[in-house]
Each structure stands twice: as structure tokens, then as C-alpha cells.
């Protein structure tokens, strides 16, 4: 890394300093700031100096330079830490977190946005729609939360007035699947009061300056923030800081992208306008009662909150109280109580609006339908962007809580980076020179220790019956904490005139001494809000507003448990946050503010040195220089890098894992850069680890190919065994099917000899495909046997007729459906009274005459026919065939002979055939074809159709 930047830019890692002194540290930090290098490493910790100007170091090319690279391969950058946290999460399936700390105005909010931008850019390379949707919501949520949670202060134009911790959930592919946002201690007092030169939350100015005329008209608002008491207190209300108009459009677009409905967005801006109108409400006394000045404002508030004007007016002027006997009475406010109730209502409205917005975003980005067995391990990267250490001219309850939070985070840093590291070296038996550092546990105990801490004293004062003032509470702290080395007050130090009697106390924080004014501590800690306002909002017809006030459902007579105080709630949430961060692998971004005037050129040495000191950066450098950059249990190290050594791949034969790890280290020549603990290997420089990672990355494709080859071979062998088994089963099954078919045929035809039809009516079973030809042959054999059985019972005298029928079957196959095979051959059909009842007598007489005349012996055939001539005309005729002649007779003229042809004159060709049938045998024509009759004279084909 040192080779990537020239010496003119100083040392890119403070660990590389020649001597670890404050002077060299500050000289290097100042040189890099002046050269435009705002990031510097301390090992894996990034020190960031706010440049107070835009730097072109966050584009796509820079993102690609840091994607997948090791921490020290590129110059120091936020992207390097973000990528290291992402790789640790993805490679080791371990939850990580990035803790961004520093005082107000040091650049924490911008750092968190760039980290989110980088994570979004390097994930989801396949552009899956659902992952892109999650990324868009995560990114757009920053815009919305900044608008409603940030404000301009004297130290920072975009100061976070709340703490934010965001968990980003990733699937096994490393793509974001959802997230969750926790918010801590919104500075709601800013809603009603701001110091000189500061502004209210951005959201108020954005809607006033960026809202359309129609929107402002519907909200009864004027465009000038000076028209409203809650936005006109700062000295710079006339300045459009951060371009409020453009920001309003961006926030509206972000709300729609996240998934807020039009109705929900409308409700959000109605609540903002309600707060502005509340600030303009004035109260005056007419002697006995307090009255409102300006009933129109009350009507506007009622319309915007969807409540009844009379109920709104009563909530502002009266307080409903339940007596011990269950009686409900209305107690009127005095002017001071009414003004206090109005401001408390305005603060509660904004606080609940902000909490509802965060909850609504969480409902969109939460991981849905997650099943570890189906989707794999769900890992998390946490990003903490929380308010920095604050020292104002007037420090109140909010600064007390904020600085307590920073003490807890500093304690976590000390715990993880300094104390745990040194303790681990001692526990593992690593030779180590102990480094002294300031442990701020004593300050944390001063604030949160049960029964003795400041929060406990505040809670005790809030729970005490009777009139307990802030001064009484201060006296109690002086008595209980007077001997504490980090606590003092004017009463304990009468000579210190920087503090006021009965008002101020001072805590010696790790970041410096802070004097707090106790005025308002108890009210802010109790955080009282009259139940009348809660019930008013719960009974609103706006379901969004009603959803924000579920506690308004309770009846006035309902006894409830006393709620926890604001300080205790905040303490519990911060302890939970620290526990959540402690179970993750932390990465730190330590932000430094170079000057108080927001100049990109000025580097205030004293200011920066103070921050370096209280952030413990010098101690961090000393621990890093003396310590080891990487440590891992032997088993896990061996599991990851055993393929880089021939003695450990695939499994070692040594007595312990430590010996196997030593073999890996010795083979690569890293003996001088490691130390062996009782259970872990300690690696001093990241370059050693990077070399191992490079070799592992080169070997992985080879191992993957080898495993693929082995696995494919195993799959092929399993597939071959399966195929062989399949063919064996198929062969046995085919054999079974063949045998089963034979058995079925045998069963069905076992008794055919005794059947009347010899098995003709028996249905043949469907054969398997392999027996189709055998099936046809078997059927043919059965038909021949069946025919033989029929024929052998026919008398010899009938065989001629049977043969004639067989010949007719062959000739008429496909021509005639029914050709009379079921009846006997009659020959002389015209002489048969059954076939020709009207003409048989006449025909018999004519045949006798022709027999006497032509001297034939017998009639071979006779029937009625229809003659078709060349013109398609038909005529009814009779046909008579004897053993000497063929006669064509005219039936209508008593069978007059029209034509006589001697059989001796007929000669048949190869195609000449006779086909005949009787009237009762078929409905189809009877056809006789003559071919080549007297071929020397003519060829004729005649069709006769018998009537």
C-alpha cells in the first residue's frame, strides 16, 4: 500500500510512522489533509478528515478499483473498509459491522452514505429485480431519514439529530435481501426551540420552500418560514440551506420508491403543517380562564388531524383528571401549562411521526419468508451512524444522553481494539509489551451505575412525590457524586466561575470537560404528555395518525404502570446496541473535524489533536505496531489453507493441527512473520495473509476441476449401475410378460376343441411388443385349424359348392359387403318360385321350349339383370346360361330371346372372370364381365345389374 502513494503524500498507514508520537501523527495527518488525502489507515481502522468540499473519489471507476481487493492493495478509502467487511461476511459467513464515530460535523453521515453506495454497487451482479428493489429502498431510506432526522447546527449544516443503526441482511450469494433500521433519541426539543444560528429539522423548510402552491394551500401554510414560531428562531431562517426545494422533490420521489401510499404521504405533510400551526397558537387569560387567540388556527389543526374542533380546543385548554373515587373532572390550564402542553404535543407529534416512518420503512425492507434450510445462512452487515460527541454553549439533557452514547461506543472500541487484543495476547502466551490506555469505564459507571449513577438519580427524582425541582435533583447529585473524580459542580468547586450556582454540573468525558445546565432535565426525563392529546389523536379519522397513538385507546380511569423515563429507555437501547455490535466483527471509521469554520483549507492543529487524543488513535497505532493483524484458530486456518501445502493436503498425518499449520508457514517462508499461541496462529502483516489468499485462489479452480472430475466419474458409475439394473429388470420383466402372455393364451384357448365355434369367439389377449409377429402367426395357425375343423365335417358332395364360394370370396373381396356365402347355391333363380314368384312359371315354360329347340342338357345360371348401354341408359333384362348358350331375354315380353351366344364362340383372357349372385344374397349389383369376345371383330365389357 505504501508503494501506491508517493512520499509527498505522507504515510498512508499510521502504523508505518518512524516514531509513534503525537507530533509525527499530527504532521502526517495534516500533510495528507493538505494534499487532498482525507483517508489514512491504522491497520484496519480508517481515519477520515472532513474535507468540507466535494472530492471526485467515489465514482464507478473507484468502486471497481476496490471491489474484491485486499485492504492494503489500494490507497486508504472508505470503500476499502466496506469491501473488507463485505468479504469477511461473505467468506467466513460472519456478521460484521462498520462503526462510524466522531464529533458533530466530522462527516459521519456522508461516510455512511458512501458505504451504503459501495455495498449497493458491488452486490447483485445478475440484476435480480427483487434484490434491486431492496437496494433501492435501502438507499432511498437515507434521503427520507435525513429530511426528517437531520438539521442545521452551528457545527454542521446536515447534522444527524438522531442515532441510526442499520442492519443489512445478505443471502448466501452475498446479495442484500432486506434490512432493519433502529433509531435512537431523536432530538425532539429542536421542534419547539433552536439555538441562535441553527434551524429546525429539514422537513419543515423543505415543505415550505419546495411544496407546490396547491399543497401549501391545502395545508393552510405560507411559504416563508419566518411566519411560524417553530421555524423562525434561528438566525439563518431566510437561507435556503441545502437547497430545500430540490430536497423536497427528492424526498417525495424517495417516499414513492420505498412504497408509501399517496394517503400516507398526505398524512405526513398534514402532521408537519399541524406542528407549524401549533407553534403559532397563543394563549391569553380573561381573568379566570385561559382562552385561545385565533380560532381559525384551531379549525385548521382540527381539519388537518381529522378531529372535531371542539375536542381539539378542549385538549389544548383543559386536562381531564380521574380522582381516586373514579370521578372524572376537567381541570383548566393556566397560560404556562397551556403553552407547555402545546409544545409537548408538538414534540410528541414529530417524534411519533419519525418513529412511524422508520417502522414503515422497516416493514418494506424486512426479510420475508426466510427459511435457513432453503435459503442458506443469513448474514448481516451493520452500519452505525450516530450523533457525535457534542459540546455546546448551552448543554442540556439531549447533549447529556448523546455524550453518554459516545462514551459507550468508546468503551466498545477500547474493549474490542485495545483491551481484548492485549488480553488475547496474554491468554495465548504471545510475548507482548503492555500498552497503557485510558479506560472510560469509570465515566460510563458515573452515568449508568444502578442506584449511584446520574440516570438513577434523575429517575429517583422523577418518581419522588411532591414538588421536586431541577435544583433539588442537582443537590442530590452533588451529595452522591461529590467524591467522583469525573464529576464536579459550582457547589463542589466554588472558585470555578465558569459554572452557575444551582444550575450547572460538569462531567470530565473522555473527549473533554462538558458543563451541563440542569434546567429542564427532570421534565425532559419524565417526558410528560397529557392523556387528552393521546385520546384526541387516537380518535382521529385519519387511520395513519391513529396508528401512531395506540396508547390513546386507554380510558381516563384506567390505571397503568408508570412508564420508563426517557433516560432509562435511552440507556437500555444503547446497552442493547452495544451488545449487538459486540457480537459482530467490527470495522471502524474514525472521523475528525479539521476546523470549526467549515473551511476546506484550514487545519486547526489544537482542535484535531484534541480529537486524536480522546479517540485513542495514538494508542490504537501502538497496539497495531506491536500486535498482529490477523489471528485464527489452528483448525480454521488449516481448513482454509491446507491445499497450499503438499504435507497437509488433503489431510495431514501429523499429531496436532498446530504442527500442520507450522508446515504450511515453513513451506511459504513466513516463519519470521508469525507467532504461535496456545490455540491460535497470529500473523503480523496482512501481506502474509494476502500471499496465502492468492495461492489459495489459484489452487481453488484446480481443486474444483479435480472434484468435478471425481464427482462426475462417481455420477457416471452410479448411472451405469442404475442402467445395468434397469436393463436386468427390463429383461426379467419382458420374460415375465412373454410367459404371462403364453399362460393367458393357454388359459383362454384350453377348451376350444369342445366349443361350438372352436374358439372363434374367444378374444385374443394383447401381446407384448416382442411377441407381435408370434401373435400374428399364432392367430393364423388357429384360423387354419378352425377352418380345418369346419371343412372336415362337410360332406364330399358339398365340397364343390364350398370351393365355388371360396372362389367368389376371392373375386368379391373388397367389392361386396354381403355376397351370400351363408346360403346354398341355387343356379336357376328365375325358375325358383321363392326368388321369382311372379315370373317363375313363365320362365320354366320358356326354358323348356329353348331346351327342345337348342337341345342343351341343363341350366347353369339364370337371374334378372339390368343392362347399361354406352349412353348410360338402363334396361331390365333376364340372363340365362346353359351348357351350350348364353341368352339375353326380355322379361316384359314373356322372356323373348333377344340375343343368343354360343359358349363355343367364347374365349377368356387372363383377366376374364365370372362373378354372380342372387337377389336374396345381396343388394349390390350382380356383375358379369366378358372380355375379348371374338377379338377379331370387337372387344366388349357388359355389366348386368339384376333387379
Amino acid at each position: 500500500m505504501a508503494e501506491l502513494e508517493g512520499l509527498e503524500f505522507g504515510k498512508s498507514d499510521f502504523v508505518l510512522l518512524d516514531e509513534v508520537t503525537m507530533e509525527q501523527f499530527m504532521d502526517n495527518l495534516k500533510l495528507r489533509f493538505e494534499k487532498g488525502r482525507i483517508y489514512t489507515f491504522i491497520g484496519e481502522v480508517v481515519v477520515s478528515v472532513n474535507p468540507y468540499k466535494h472530492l471526485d473519489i467515489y465514482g464507478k471507476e473507484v468502486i471497481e478499483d476496490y471491489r474484491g481487493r485486499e485492504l492494503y492493495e489500494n490507497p486508504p478509502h472508505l470503500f476499502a473498509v466496506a469491501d473488507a467487511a463485505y468479504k469477511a461476511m461473505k467468506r467466513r459467513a460472519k456478521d460484521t459491522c462498520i462503526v462510524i464515530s466522531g464529533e458533530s460535523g466530522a462527516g459521519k453521515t456522508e461516510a455512511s452514505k458512501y458505504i451504503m453506495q459501495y455495498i449497493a454497487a458491488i452486490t447483485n451482479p445478475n440484476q435480480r429485480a427483487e434484490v434491486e428493489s431492496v437496494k433501492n429502498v435501502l438507499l432511498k431510506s437515507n434521503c427520507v431519514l435525513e429530511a426528517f432526522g437531520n438539521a442545521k447546527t452551528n457545527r454542521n449544516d446536515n447534522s444527524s439529530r438522531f442515532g441510526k443503526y442499520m442492519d443489512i441482511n445478505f443471502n448466501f450469494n452475498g446479495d442484500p435481501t432486506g434490512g432493519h433500521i433502529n433509531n435512537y433519541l431523536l432530538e425532539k426539543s429542536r421542534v419547539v426551540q433552536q439555538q441562535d444560528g441553527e434551524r429546525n429539522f429539514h422537513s419543515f423548510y423543505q415543505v415550505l420552500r419546495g411544496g407546490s402552491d396547491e399543497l401549501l394551500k391545502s395545508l393552510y401554510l405560507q411559504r416563508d418560514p419566518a411566519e411560524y414560531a417553530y421555524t423562525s428562531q434561528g438566525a439563518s431562517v431566510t437561507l435556503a440551506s441545502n437547497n430545500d426545494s430540490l430536497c423536497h422533490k427528492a424526498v417525495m420521489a424517495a417516499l414513492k420508491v420505498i412504497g408509501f401510499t399517496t394517503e400516507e404521504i398526505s398524512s405526513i405533510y398534514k402532521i408537519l403543517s399541524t406542528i407549524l400551526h401549533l407553534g403559532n397558537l397563543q394563549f391569553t387569560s380573561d381573568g379566570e380562564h385561559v382562552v385561545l387567540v385565533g380560532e381559525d388556527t384551531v379549525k385548521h389543526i382540527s381539519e388537518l388531524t381529522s378531529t372535531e374542533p371542539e375536542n381539539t380546543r378542549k385538549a389544548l385548554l383543559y386536562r381531564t383528571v380521574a380522582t381516586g373515587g373514579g370521578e372524572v373532572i376537567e381541570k383548566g390550564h393556566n397560560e404556562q401549562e397551556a403553552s407547555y402542553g402545546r409544545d409537548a404535543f408538538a414534540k410528541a407529534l414529530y417524534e411519533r411521526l419519525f418513529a412511524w416512518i422508520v417502522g414503515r420503512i422497516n416493514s418494506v425492507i424486512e426479510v420475508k419468508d426466510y427459511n435457513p434450510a432453503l435459503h442458506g445462512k443469513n448474514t448481516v452487515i451493520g452500519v452505525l451512524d450516530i450523533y457525535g460527541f457534542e459540546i455546546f454553549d448551552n448543554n442540556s439533557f439531549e447533549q447529556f444522553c448523546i455524550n453518554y452514547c459516545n462514551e459507550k461506543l468508546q468503551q466498545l472500541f477500547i474493549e474490542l481494539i485495545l483491551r481484548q487484543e492485549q488480553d488475547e495476547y496474554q491468554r495465548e502466551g504471545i510475548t507482548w509489551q503492555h500498552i497503557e490506555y485510558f479506560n472510560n469505564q469509570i465515566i460510563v459507571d458515573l452515568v449508568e451505575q444502578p442506584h449511584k449513577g446520574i440516570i438513577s438519580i434523575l429517575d429517583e427524582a422523577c418518581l419522588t412525590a411532591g414538588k421536586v425541582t431541577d435544583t433539588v435533583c442537582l443537590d442530590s447529585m452533588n451529595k452522591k457524586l461529590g467524591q467522583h473524580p469525573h464529576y464536579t459542580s459550582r457547589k463542589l468547586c466554588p472558585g470555578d466561575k465558569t459554572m452557575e450556582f444551582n444550575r450547572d454540573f460538569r462531567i470530565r468525558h473522555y473527549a473533554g470537560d462538558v458543563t451541563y445546565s440542569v434546567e429542564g432535565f427532570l421534565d425532559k426525563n419524565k417526558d410528560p404528555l397529557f392523556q387528552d392529546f393521546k385520546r384526541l389523536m387516537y380518535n382521529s379519522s385519519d387511520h395513519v395518525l391513529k396508528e401512531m397513538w395506540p396508547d390513546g385507546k386507554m380510558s381516563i380511569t384506567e390505571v397503568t404502570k408508570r412508564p420508563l423515563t426517557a433516560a432509562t429507555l435511552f440507556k437500555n437501547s444503547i446497552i442493547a446496541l452495544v451488545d449487538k455490535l459486540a457480537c459482530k466483527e467490527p470495522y471502524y471509521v474514525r472521523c475528525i473535524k479539521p476546523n470549526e469554520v467549515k473551511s476546506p483549507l484550514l487545519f486547526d492543529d489544537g482542535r484535531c489533536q484534541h480529537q486524536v487524543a480522546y479517540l485513542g488513535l495514538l494508542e490504537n497505532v501502538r497496539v497495531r505496531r506491536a500486535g498482529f493483524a490477523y489471528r485464527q484458530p489452528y483448525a480454521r486456518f488449516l481448513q482454509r489453507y491446507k491445499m497450499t501445502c503438499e504435507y497437509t493436503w488433503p489431510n495431514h498425518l501429523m499429531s496436532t493441527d498446530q504442527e500442520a499449520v507450522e508446515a504450511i508457514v515453513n513451506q511459504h517462508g513466513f516463519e519470521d512473520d508469525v507467532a504461535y499461541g496456545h490455540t491460535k496462529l497470529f500473523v503480523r502483516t496482512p501481506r502474509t495473509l494476502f500471499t496465502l489468499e492468492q495461492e489459495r485462489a489459484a489452487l481453488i479452480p484446480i481443486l474444483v476441476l479435480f472434484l468435478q472430475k471425481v464427482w462426475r466419474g462417481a455420477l457416471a458409475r452410479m448411472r451405469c449401475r442404475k442402467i445395468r439394473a434397469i436393463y436386468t429388470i427390463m429383461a426379467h420383466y419382458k420374460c415375465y410378460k412373454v410367459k404371462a402372455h403364453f399362460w393367458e393364451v393357454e388359459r383362454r384357448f384350453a377348451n376350444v376343441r369342445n366349443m361350438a365355434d372352436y374358439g372363434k369367439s374367444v378374444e385374443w389377449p394383447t401381446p407384448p411388443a416382442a411377441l407381435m409377429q408370434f401373435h400374428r402367426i399364432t392367430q393364423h395357425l388357429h384360423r387354419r385349424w378352425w377352418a380345418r375343423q369346419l371343412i372336415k365335417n362337410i360332406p364330399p358332395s358339398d365340397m364343390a359348392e364350398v370351393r365355388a364360394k371360396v372362389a367368389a370370396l376371392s373375386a368379391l373381396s373388397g367389392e361386396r359387403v354381403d355376397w351370400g356365402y351363408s346360403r346354398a347355391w341355387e343356379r336357376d333363380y328365375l325358375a325358383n318360385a321363392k326368388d321369382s314368384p311372379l315370373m317363375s312359371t313363365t320362365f320354366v315354360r320358356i326354358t323348356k321350349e329353348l331346351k327342345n329347340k337348342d337341345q342343351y342338357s341343363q341350366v347353369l345360371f339364370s337371374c334378372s339383370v339390368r343392362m347399361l348401354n354406352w349412353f348410360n341408359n338402363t334396361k331390365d333384362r333376364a340372363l340365362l346360361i346353359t351348357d351350350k348358350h348364353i341368352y339375353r331375354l326380355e322379361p316384359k315380353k314373356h322372356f323373348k330371346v333377344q340375343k343368343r351366344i354360343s359358349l363355343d364362340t367364347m374365349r377368356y383372357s387372363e383377366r376374364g372372370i365370372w362373378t354372380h349372385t342372387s337377389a336374396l344374397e345381396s343388394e349390390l349389383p350382380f356383375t358379369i364381365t366378358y372380355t375379348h369376345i371374338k377379338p377379331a371383330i370387337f372387344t366388349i365389357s357388359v355389366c348386368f345389374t339384376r333387379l
Side-chain angles (χ1 to χ4, degrees), residues 99 271 277 432 453 533 550 737:
V99 180
I271 294 171
H277 289 304
W432 174 260
F533 291 117
K737 292 292 286 184

Side-chain angles (χ1 to χ4, degrees), residues 112-146:
S112 69
K113 287 196 290 188
Y114 286 129
I115 287 172
M116 291 291 297
Q117 171 190 329
Y118 180 80
I119 292 174
I122 65 172
T123 53
N124 194 29
N126 297 325
Q127 297 295 305
R128 290 169 52 207
E130 61 272 22
V131 177
E132 285 300 304
S133 175
V134 171
K135 284 165 51 176
N136 286 338
V137 173
L138 290 173
L139 292 175
K140 293 298 183 182
S141 65
N142 279 328
C143 175
V144 175
L145 295 179
E146 273 190 30

Side-chain angles (χ1 to χ4, degrees), residues 670-725:
F670 297 147
E671 302 92 334
D672 298 333
D673 201 43
V674 301
Y676 299 99
H678 299 313
T679 62
K680 293 181 180 180
L681 174 72
F682 291 79
V683 181
R684 190 176 301 278
T685 63
R687 187 172 295 279
T688 296
L689 190 66
F690 178 56
T691 303
L692 288 171
E693 282 290 337
Q694 279 186 316
E695 186 167 346
R696 180 181 182 275
L699 289 171
I700 286 296
I702 300 173
L703 296 178
V704 168
L705 288 175
F706 175 75
L707 292 174
Q708 286 179 339
K709 180 186 73 172
V710 173
W711 179 240
R712 285 170 180 162
L715 288 177
R717 285 187 288 274
M718 285 190 291
R719 193 179 303 115
C720 181
R721 286 194 292 270
K722 287 181 181 179
I723 291 174
R724 287 176 178 173

